Every structure is written in C-alpha cells, then in structure tokens.
Amino acid sequence: MRIDDCIEMLKAITDDIAFVTEVGPGDVGKIIWVNEPLCAITGYAEAELIGQHPDLLKGQNPDPDMIAWIGDAMAAKHRFRGTVPYERRDGTRFWGDLQLSPWFGIADRCTHWINVIRDITPDMELRDAFTEAKRAAVTARKRLWSAIEALPDAFVMFDADDRMVMCNERYKKLYEISSPVIVPGSTYEEILRYGLEHGQYEEARGREEAWLADRLADHVTPAGPIDQHLPSNRFVRIQEVKTENGDTVGFRTDITELKRQQQAIERHARALAVAMERAEVSARTDALTGLSNRRGLDLHMRGLAAHPAEALDEVAFLHIDLDRFKQINDMLGHAAGDFVLREVATILRQAVRPGDHVARVGGDEFAIVIEATDAANVAEGIAVRVIEACRLPVEFEGRVCHYGASIGIATSAHGDGLLSLMEDADIALYEAKAKGRGRAAFYTADLRGDAEAGKQLADDLRVAADADEIVPWFQPQVDIATGDLVGLEVLARWIHPERGVMPPRSFMEMAEDLGLADQIDRNVAARALDIATQLTQQGHQIAKLSLNANYARLAQVGLEAELERRNSLPFRVAVELQDAVDIGEQSDQIQWYVDVLRERGAEIEIDDFGSGPASIISLLKLRPERVKIDTLILDARVPSRQGKNPLLKAIADIAQALDIGVTAKGVSVKDQADSLSGIGCTVMQGMWIAPPMPAEALETWLIERATLPDARRA
C-alpha cells in the first residue's frame, strides 16, 4: 500500500485529527497532509501546515519530557501513544490522545509517520476539575476541622445511633469531669450518666433520672436553645440540630456566635441557588447566538402542552432554514458562517413580538413559537419580515455573504397536537424549498403525502449513493470546423430501479441537503475515468474528458487526489465548474485548490458562461482554458446586421481576447450548428451530434463513428 492509499483510508475511517509527515534528512519530519478536523480544531489553514514541522502544533513551550519520549520512539521506529498537550493557532491549549505510527516504504525504510490525534480536552479538563475538587475537599476538611478547633465555644456531633462522631477540645474541657467517656463511639446517654455519677451537672442533684429523661428527650427532638448550668458556675446555651441523615450537631455557644453561623449558612445557600439557576439557563441557551437551543425549545413546547387546552390561544411553529449557508461555510470559512448565524439571530429577535420563543435548533436551522388568537396571521407577518431581511447581503471581513431563508409554518388551535407541530412545520419547510426557496409555506394535510414520497426518494438516494445506481453518462463534443471528436462531458444519471433514468436536476439538490453530493460527484468521476481509460486501451481515440464539479464544493470532492492517484492518463482531463459565483467573493482556499488541480494536469472550464452566475471577473481570476455557452444564449433572438447572434459573438470575442476557448452546448438542430461558424466558437455538443449515453452506448457510437466518412462526421 502506498502512503497515498493510507491517506485515503484515513479520510474514510476517522473523524479525529490526522496528519502525515514525511521523513527527511536527519529524520526531521515535515507535514505533507492534514485533514479537515485538524484545521477546524487548531484554527490553522491547510496551507499554513503543509511543509511545517509537526512541533508547530506543540506551541512555543512544549513539554520537554514528552518531546524526548516521542523522539525516542521515532528514533527506534516504534509506535507511540500518549497524552500530548497541543496549541491552537490562537495560543490556546488543547489535549490530544496521540497515536504515532511509522510507515515503512521500500526496503522497510521508515518514510512517513502517521499521526492520529483524538481531542480529549474535555476529559483532561474533567480530570483536572476532579483533581482540583479532591484537593479542595481535602483542604476544606482540614479548614473545617481547623475552624471547628478554632471556635471559641464547644462543638460536638452524634450520629443517627446517638454515638459521638467528633468534638473539639473545647467541648472536652467544658465537660472535663466526663472527659474519660467523651470519645468517638460513646452514646450521648453514656456521657450524661457518667457526668451524673461524677457530679458534672449540679442542676440534676436530687432528680437525676428525671433530669436525664428530659435531657434525652430534648436531645432526640431538639426544639430550641437550652441553658445549662455547669460546675464552677458556668452557663452555656446548648443549641442542637438534627441533620437530614439523622446526625445531631451540638454547639455550646453564645447567641451572638450562633447568629453569625446561621447567616453564613444562609448566604452559602443563596449563592448555591443562584449558581444552579445560571447553570440551568446555560443548558437551555445556544452559546453562539444567545438564543434558546433545542433543549430550551423542547422545554418550552412541553410547557405549552402541559397547559389546559382552554387556557391556550392558537400556537404557530415556524421552522427556518438558511439557503446557501453551506456555500458561505465552504467558500468563506466557518468564521463567516458563525457571523451570518449571529446576524440571523438578531433578525429573528427583531422580527418577533415580546414573549415569542426563538431558538436555534441545528447548524443553520432556527425555530419560532408563537401563541396568539390569530397565530397564522402573526406567523405569516413574521415570516415575511424574516425572509426580506435575510435577502439582504451582509459583509464579513470585506467579503459579501449572500444567503436567504426558507420557512415552514404549522399551526395548532388551542393546544391540540402541539408536540407534532415541529414535524408539520418541517414538512411545510420542504414544500417552501421545493417551490424555489426564499419563501414561506403553510402545512396542509395534502403536503404530508408529498413529504412521505420525498422521504422515500431521499431514502432511495442514500441507498443509491452506496449501491452504484448513480453512474456516469457521456456526451460527445466535436470540433465545429472538422467534426472530429475532441472530448466527452461526464453527466451523472441515477438508474432508479422503479423510476428509470433520472437526470441530476431531479436528485442533486436533495443530495446536497443530505450531504451526499460530494460522494456522488467523487464516485461518478472515478468511474468515468475508469471507463474512458478502458475505451482508450481498446483503441478508441478520446482526447479529453470533462468532469463536472460544483464550484463551492470543489475542495470537498477530492478530484486532485483522484488525479494524483492515477498518475498519468491517456487523455486530458478538464474540470468543468458549475455555479461559479463571482470569484471575488471566494476564499483563498478554493483559488488554491484550483491551482492544485492545474498542477495535477487538469484544465479548468466554466459552465453556462453568459447565462449563469460567472462573470468576466471570474475569467480574469480563474483564467480557464475554456468556457461553455448555454443554449439560452445560442437561441437568443437579438437583431444583427451581419445575421449572426451578437451576444454569442460578443462572448466569443471576450474569450478570444483572453486566449480562452469557447464551447457551445445544447446544439440540437443544424441551424444552430451553422450559426456557430466564423464567430470564434470552436467546439459544440448537443443532441444534434449525440445525446448523453451510458458507457455501452458510447462504445457502440465510437465504433459506428469510426466507420463514417469524414464528411458525415461533421
């Protein structure tokens, strides 16, 4: 197995921090690969880590002993596992359970080190907290005992069986006559009887048994302070208290001191209550936005459901999901995503009425609960305000973030079915998204059937992504002048066992929502490269293979790893970027990734130029090898003296000025093909040449085409 295969395996099997170092001169390792959890936890960008020594992660003042232990293990080419302190980019520390493994290459020489780190910061913090709590408990016990001994008056404690547990020296001195029996384990009655027999209690003379009975009764059921007369004309006030576990605590003290003790206990109890209330509020609050979290929302809904139905007005539940939020995270980073979430929280607070409950229930999902006599109308008004506010772009660190909001609304009259409102609102949200996003939809009974069908399709898609049901189809691209085959575009098709062949528009948006889009793109690309390689090995001439990739998800698909794994291919590979928004708003990471693809030998193309979101700025910054013009431009009816489509020619002129090739797609009739000649567009594809086709049909098409005269190929 090569180290690249090992890295791919790491990607698949672990969500923990992982990175790989390459052994260099003097066994000084340099980082050659890191995974996303490492960047997320440390705050470093991947580009900041590649090529660096792994000690960068141990901070400015690493533990010298730990460095030595790791060094010894590496020198011996042995595995190492240990708890290691690391440092994030911002200087804060986190703890990791490091598993360091050597990788032996050719001739059993250690060429790489595999580093897998599990973030155990919470465990270490809990350990530290436990150690500190234990230390504090010992200190508190010593301090308590010191405090008891330092009391100006006597103290004693008896357990539930009325046997003495402890007392201070002042208590023994106070009852010095009875001191021989004032030891742990003696019962209170034994101590009293010994004192009676030896003249300890002058007030009991002549009525010893009656006095003993009264004193024991007061001791068993303490009712208040008792003044007691002792030898040497000493008076003490006895204050006894029963604890919850049955212990009896006794003080021989003056009233002033007793008051001071009681006030201290009351202050502690109040502080504890305040701390518990704060902890409960924290458990119900989302740390990022300050809104209620899912637990807080659940408690609120259960609280409403617990009210008598007649005591409730109508209740409306709004389920809010942000549109295009994943693109912000992918292109601008999680800091930008967090900024947008805080902005949305502010919008929601301003949109609702006092008393309405607002919560963040997931990554980019929010909820609002309304109780009103006309809850549906109130909810609709709030939804309109939220949608309009979320349409406005916000700026983060000089970059503009565009997003939106889709809202599902469900209502319940007088508290009926409150706990199902969330599910109903989720169904309505699905309807809002299906109708184009950036809008609100109310739940109706008819939507449930559609939702169940959608859920079934989503379940099918999860299975299809792992069962090779989503396969590559190919559409030929030909040279306009010669008719020669110059390339194949790869298009995904879902071969559904019941619904038949399904194009991407019927499932890719759902795949995005389910987090399956990257896997599908990766699998389709890999299979397409295999098929094209096999066809060339069979003698078919394939000059170029164009792979579709969503611009915002480019780094997640992993095309560069696929190309690097295959080393050299018998044809050129182009990465055709879809949804290439203004590159001025994209992150440096994606620009870097485009450069990496070029280093792997890939060409860059932009799809739907002129009718899609890509701009001339995109051309200047990306410098693609080719742009594709959509059928909308091809069919545009714009008057022209020359008889040519001026829009098409203008785009071709711009591309030609930048030394960028032009492909026209969607060519379905000969007239469209004829209109392309002489304007700078060199390649075309569409139904007039050939439809998208599976691998088997492509092979047949290539064979048949090879037998045609050159004139008929054009």
Side-chain angles (χ1 to χ4, degrees):
M1 183 185 295
R2 299 181 305 145
I3 189 65
D4 292 341
D5 297 325
C6 177
I7 289 174
E8 290 300 315
M9 186 181 301
L10 282 174
K11 292 179 183 178
I13 67 174
T14 183
D15 293 328
D16 292 328
I17 295 170
F19 66 92
V20 176
T21 62
E22 184 177 33
V23 176
D27 284 350
V28 177
K30 300 296 183 182
I31 297 174
I32 65 166
W33 173 83
V34 300
N35 67 354
E36 184 177 350
L38 173 57
C39 298
I41 290 175
T42 64
Y44 284 102
E46 182 179 359
E48 295 178 290
L49 295 171
I50 299 300
Q52 297 296 320
H53 194 284
D55 282 353
L56 171 68
L57 300 174
K58 298 185 178 68
Q60 298 296 322
N61 299 297
D63 183 348
D65 291 337
M66 184 59 67
I67 294 294
W69 294 334
I70 294 175
D72 291 343
M74 294 183 72
K77 305 299 186 293
H78 290 166
R79 292 175 179 265
F80 174 85
R81 180 168 185 175
T83 300
V84 180
Y86 292 94
E87 191 170 290
R88 300 183 180 90
R89 194 178 191 277
D90 61 5
T92 58
R93 189 177 71 170
F94 72 98
W95 288 90
D97 178 12
L98 169 64
Q99 296 188 58
L100 180 64
S101 303
W103 178 268
F104 293 96
I106 299 173
D108 289 334
R109 185 176 67 87
C110 178
T111 59
H112 296 81
W113 287 91
I114 312 302
N115 297 256
V116 178
I117 304 169
R118 173 154 296 177
D119 185 359
I120 59 171
T121 304
D123 296 338
M124 296 300 291
E125 289 176 348
L126 182 61
R127 184 203 67 177
D128 292 342
F130 176 77
T131 302
E132 181 59 30
K134 185 177 179 181
R135 185 184 300 112
V138 172
T139 301
R141 185 174 182 275
K142 291 180 179 178
R143 293 178 64 184
L144 175 61
W145 186 251
S146 297
I148 289 172
E149 287 295 347
L151 287 172
D153 300 299
F155 168 85
V156 68
M157 177 184 288
F158 294 87
D159 64 17
D161 295 327
D162 216 23
R163 295 187 178 276
M164 197 187 85
V165 176
M166 62 186 300
C167 70
N168 61 5
E169 289 298 318
R170 292 186 181 276
Y171 185 85
K172 292 181 179 180
K173 291 181 179 179
L174 188 65
Y175 298 100
E176 190 172 5
I177 295 174
S178 302
S179 59
V181 293
I182 300 178
V183 294
S186 296
T187 66
Y188 186 55
E189 182 176 352
E190 289 172 347
I191 294 173
L192 290 180
R193 285 193 178 278
Y194 188 93
L196 284 173
E197 293 171 0
H198 294 81
Q200 179 77 66
Y201 309 107
E202 294 183 1
E203 60 189 2
R205 291 181 187 274
R207 52 182 300 269
E208 285 80 359
E209 289 301 321
W211 179 91
L212 180 62
D214 291 340
R215 184 67 195 94
L216 288 174
D218 292 335
H219 177 73
V220 171
T221 312
I226 300 172
D227 290 338
Q228 188 178 69
H229 189 198
L230 295 176
S232 303
N233 203 28
R234 290 178 298 165
F235 291 87
V236 295
R237 175 159 289 182
I238 302 173
Q239 183 75 32
E240 293 185 320
V241 179
K242 285 283 189 182
T243 65
E244 291 181 356
N245 63 353
D247 292 345
T248 302
V249 177
F251 291 94
R252 273 61 173 171
T253 185
D254 60 44
I255 295 174
T256 304
E257 183 64 20
L258 179 61
K259 283 288 185 182
R260 189 176 295 119
Q261 296 275 343
Q262 290 174 338
Q263 290 169 358
I265 292 174
E266 290 172 0
R267 285 195 300 271
H268 178 73
R270 286 194 298 270
L272 182 60
V274 170
M276 291 179 64
E277 176 62 24
R278 288 176 180 170
E280 177 60 24
V281 171
S282 177
R284 300 194 306 265
T285 304
D286 175 56
L288 177 65
T289 63
L291 299 176
S292 172
N293 58 16
R294 183 175 288 276
R295 181 172 184 269
L297 175 66
D298 183 64
L299 291 174
H300 181 76
M301 294 298 292
R302 291 183 183 278
L304 289 178
H307 286 130
E310 60 274 10
L312 278 176
D313 290 324
E314 289 185 346
V315 176
F317 189 97
L318 290 80
H319 188 179
I320 303 157
D321 185 75
L322 300 186
D323 303 327
R324 299 185 298 280
F325 179 76
K326 187 175 185 298
Q327 292 183 0
I328 294 174
N329 263 345
D330 291 343
M331 298 177 64
L332 302 182
H334 289 286
D338 289 347
F339 173 78
V340 169
L341 292 175
R342 288 191 292 268
E343 287 290 310
V344 172
T346 300
I347 289 172
L348 298 183
R349 289 190 185 97
Q350 295 173 346
V352 300
R353 310 164 307 160
D356 293 337
H357 191 85
V358 184
R360 180 187 175 208
V361 295
D364 61 342
E365 297 181 57
F366 297 83
I368 299 174
V369 182
I370 297 166
E371 184 187 356
T373 54
D374 56 344
N377 290 333
V378 174
E380 186 173 18
I382 291 174
V384 169
R385 292 194 291 274
V386 170
I387 290 171
E388 290 301 319
C390 290
R391 284 194 178 118
L392 301 176
V394 295
E395 186 174 316
F396 175 75
E397 295 183 352
R399 291 176 176 173
V400 178
C401 303
H402 296 276
Y403 68 100
S406 299
I407 303 177
I409 307 172
T411 60
S412 176
H414 308 296
D416 296 333
L418 278 181
L419 297 182
S420 67
L421 273 183
M422 290 183 273
E423 180 181 340
D424 295 343
D426 189 56
I427 292 173
L429 174 63
Y430 185 86
E431 174 70 7
K433 286 182 172 291
K435 287 186 175 180
R437 303 175 183 262
R439 65 188 66 206
F442 277 87
Y443 170 80
T444 64
D446 292 340
L447 290 180
R448 183 168 289 276
D450 296 339
E452 290 173 353
K455 182 181 182 303
Q456 182 59 54
L457 187 62
D459 292 341
D460 292 347
L461 185 56
R462 289 189 181 93
V463 174
D466 295 323
D468 293 335
E469 291 182 10
I470 302 176
V471 299
W473 280 30
F474 304 84
Q475 187 169 34
Q477 301 170 332
V478 301
D479 186 287
I480 291 176
T482 66
D484 292 339
L485 178 67
V486 295
L488 299 170
E489 180 183 1
V490 178
L491 302 166
R493 292 294 185 268
W494 181 3
I495 313 302
H496 193 282
E498 298 176 358
R499 303 187 184 205
V501 179
M502 299 175 64
R505 64 176 177 273
S506 60
F507 65 86
M508 279 307 290
E509 185 173 337
M510 178 180 289
E512 291 268 10
D513 293 337
L514 296 174
L516 298 173
D518 297 339
Q519 177 185 346
I520 290 173
D521 285 348
R522 188 160 49 247
N523 291 346
V524 168
R527 295 186 64 183
L529 290 168
D530 288 340
I531 291 169
T533 300
Q534 292 171 4
L535 289 173
T536 57
Q537 291 171 348
Q538 294 168 9
H540 299 290
Q541 298 298 315
I542 297 175
K544 182 180 69 173
L545 193 71
S546 295
L547 304 173
N548 285 302
N550 182 284
Y551 182 73
R553 295 187 289 101
L554 189 58
Q556 283 72 43
V557 176
L559 290 178
E560 92 294 350
E562 188 67 32
L563 295 177
E564 185 176 17
R565 182 177 69 84
R566 294 172 183 271
N567 196 4
S568 61
L569 291 165
F571 45 80
R572 304 193 324 276
V573 174
V575 177
E576 192 171 305
L577 301 180
Q578 302 170 320
D579 296 327
V581 298
D582 188 348
I583 198 170
E585 297 177 11
Q586 57 87 50
S587 69
D588 294 337
Q589 181 182 4
I590 295 182
Q591 178 65 59
W592 174 84
Y593 196 82
V594 170
D595 293 339
V596 170
L597 286 173
R598 279 200 167 99
E599 290 175 2
R600 300 292 185 271
E603 300 175 5
I604 302 299
E605 300 182 359
I606 295 181
D607 194 16
D608 293 339
F609 187 80
S611 61
S615 68
I616 294 177
I617 299 299
S618 302
L619 297 183
L620 294 175
K621 291 196 173 183
L622 275 178
R623 289 289 182 175
E625 279 72 24
R626 182 166 290 275
V627 296
K628 295 185 72 172
I629 301 176
D630 189 71
T631 311
L632 294 174
I633 300 296
L634 193 64
D635 289 341
R637 303 299 180 187
V638 182
S640 172
R641 296 176 183 177
Q642 292 79 18
K644 297 291 184 180
N645 185 328
L647 288 179
L648 189 61
K649 188 174 187 310
I651 293 174
D653 288 344
I654 292 172
Q656 189 173 11
L658 296 174
D659 195 24
I660 297 172
V662 179
T663 297
K665 73 175 188 178
V667 178
S668 57
V669 294
K670 185 177 186 300
D671 288 345
Q672 289 177 325
D674 293 340
S675 70
L676 298 173
S677 62
I679 63 170
C681 182
T682 58
V683 176
M684 63 180 172
Q685 72 180 85
M687 299 295 289
W688 188 65
I689 294 101
M693 61 190 83
E696 299 80 3
L698 173 63
E699 184 176 6
T700 301
W701 185 85
L702 290 171
I703 293 172
E704 293 176 349
R705 180 179 174 79
T707 63
L708 292 175
D710 291 345
R712 291 187 59 191
R713 294 181 191 175

